[in-house]
Amino acid sequence: MAAPLRTAVAPLRAAATAATAATMSAAAAPARPRVAVIGAGFAGLAAALELQRSGRCDVTVLEASGRPGGRASTMQLPSGTALEIGATWFHGLGDEDEPNPVFQQALEAGLIDANPEAEQWWSSQFLLPCATQPLSKEQQVAVTHTLAAWGEAIDDLPPDAPGTTADHLRRAGEQLLASGKLGEEHLELAERVWRWREQLQRAMDGCHSTSEQSAQGHALYDEMPGGVNCPLPAGMQAVAEHMAAKVADLRFQHAVQRIEWGSAPSGTSNSSGGSGSGSGSCAARVRIACSNGDSLEADAAIVTVSLGVLQARHHQLFSPALPPQKVAAIERLRIGCVNKFFLDFGAPEDVAGSGSSAGGGESPTSGSSPAVSYSLLWSEAWEGASSSDTFTAAVPSAVEAQLPSWAKGIFSIRFGGPETKRPQLAGKSPDGHAAAAGAADTAPAAAGSSSGAPDNNEEEEEEAQFIVPSAEPEQPRCYQGVAWVSGEAAVEMEAASDEEVLCTLRQLAGLFPQLQLPPGASWDRVRLYRSRWGTDPLFRGSYSYIPAGGSPADVAALAAPICLPAGPHSAAAVSAAGGEAAAPAAGSTPVLLFAGEACHVKYIGTMHGAAITGQAAAAQLLAAWQHTE
């Protein structure tokens, strides 16, 4: 029996020897580092995908909400219609040298054509309170001159422009009023239009007022190459969902409560079971606690929460405290509040007396109807005015005086347009091609079609660049409307109830009698949907800007990584000393990296700016690991 026994034992000994060798080999090899990415907006998703592609580490994305996209949020209504609550447009499609990473993801997902066409901009009906007749031809020309003067002042800001944006606009406005171009009878109209354009600028830039916006910060902003600005037929959240589906470890409902950064005690290992930085030289350096009780240990963290969240919570969120330079940058920069509210007057078949279509069998919800935009010219003075009386307020009507102050932040109401996604289109225009239209990333554009154009060449050139007043009134044919509110008015509107908002809108409609509803629609039968970015604890604002007193250096300081040197060290000492650098010093590696729309000077406030900073943070971390190996 001995020989059979020896024959049976030999394979067991060989297997045991092989297992022991494998275990020793695994112990000798450095563990894969783990990176925690906080936030599943475009910055966090772009960072995670960049790290995954490298194959150098494990990546875990922690998202506080139940969806990806951050401030790119597409609300699906029971009817199938979708509303673009947040980010709405691509700002330039990019080129070979500088691609737009969000647009590239949309292309990869088949959500848009490679060469989308920009939308032909709609004209706008400029309405005066209590006026029952449209603007005269002379008044339309005055509006066009006023908008052109604002646009030229904005476009001509030099990269080193001093002071605030309002400082430069004030001079341009005073020159316009003194030029004699408008005529005495149109000066008050020009002042109303100047304030209207201020409201539009706030919605485009996210600032609460051009009086608190750095002129240099505004001048340094630019659009990506590629020229075309367009929305996405399926909604921007669809791009985020496409990106999120490729992330191997994305954990929703994981709101981060605490980020402890620094070296771990001896013998502590990270959540991947090893000890390691990219070279396996130190223990886990980041510990993250979530509000749901989960925790995570990692070698580095990329923080992509909004500037608003950092401003409200950085003292409680990080231990030890962030370095003074980082805190100063967080506190100097600003994030504004821009909100939309949507008015759904129902499908045509739901509207009494409207029939199943509106005019010639064309469905008002098909998306084929042109957009109809109303611009509201309030009597308020321009907030950027100095102590001089150059810009004055008109006497408000009795109805206007009774409205809540936030109502005067509603500068336009538009029926139709890219914020509303209609299910019948399924991402296609009536001719079967991918639908496309465009403007600023999360704000309406300052451009218009040439409907109602004045005749001379100078005025035609002005109209090619700016919103154009309509020559004739037009009734909407789309049953969904959208309005934008920015600044303090947006903050105040968030505090009002839905019924208060609707009541105010009914009063507003009485104040501007030329504001028409679609056939058969009524203010008594309308559903209200709106964003509340300012009070949402996950965002605390819409998008960021450089304020007066701030500078591009603050953006750079916000984006700079916090690095720890190799060997024994104290995170508290690093925190007190600063611990930041544009590039990690020799022997040090980033432990905390920051990304998001507030971290890019040129593309501040945009989706692609956020994604680019996420990619840059991932690349910086990988490069640091390469340097220490």
Side-chain angles (χ1 to χ4, degrees), residues 112-169:
I112 197 168
D113 285 349
N115 298 297
E117 295 182 0
E119 183 175 8
Q120 294 299 310
W121 284 104
W122 49 83
S123 58
S124 188
Q125 300 175 48
F126 282 80
L127 309 183
L128 289 165
C130 304
T132 57
Q133 297 297 318
L135 298 184
S136 67
K137 185 64 175 292
E138 292 75 18
Q139 288 175 313
Q140 293 175 40
V141 171
V143 171
T144 302
H145 280 312
T146 304
L147 296 177
W150 181 290
E152 289 166 5
I154 285 285
D155 291 343
D156 291 345
L157 287 175
D160 58 350
T164 69
T165 305
D167 293 336
H168 300 265
L169 292 170

Side-chain angles (χ1 to χ4, degrees), residues 335-425:
I335 184 166
C337 186
V338 180
N339 281 313
K340 305 175 196 175
F341 59 81
F342 293 85
L343 301 167
D344 185 1
F345 290 93
E349 57 269 20
D350 297 334
V351 178
S354 70
S356 60
S357 63
E362 182 182 35
S363 169
T365 58
S366 69
S368 58
S369 301
V372 175
S373 181
Y374 298 101
S375 298
L376 310 182
L377 301 178
W378 298 93
S379 63
E380 299 287 302
W382 177 50
E383 295 88 333
S386 63
S387 57
S388 70
D389 60 354
T390 303
F391 291 91
T392 58
V395 178
S397 66
V399 176
E400 190 175 351
Q402 293 171 3
L403 291 172
S405 59
W406 64 260
K408 297 164 190 177
I410 302 172
F411 61 93
S412 70
I413 297 178
R414 187 174 66 253
F415 292 86
E419 296 96 334
T420 304
K421 316 293 181 181
R422 296 169 185 82
Q424 293 92 331
L425 289 179

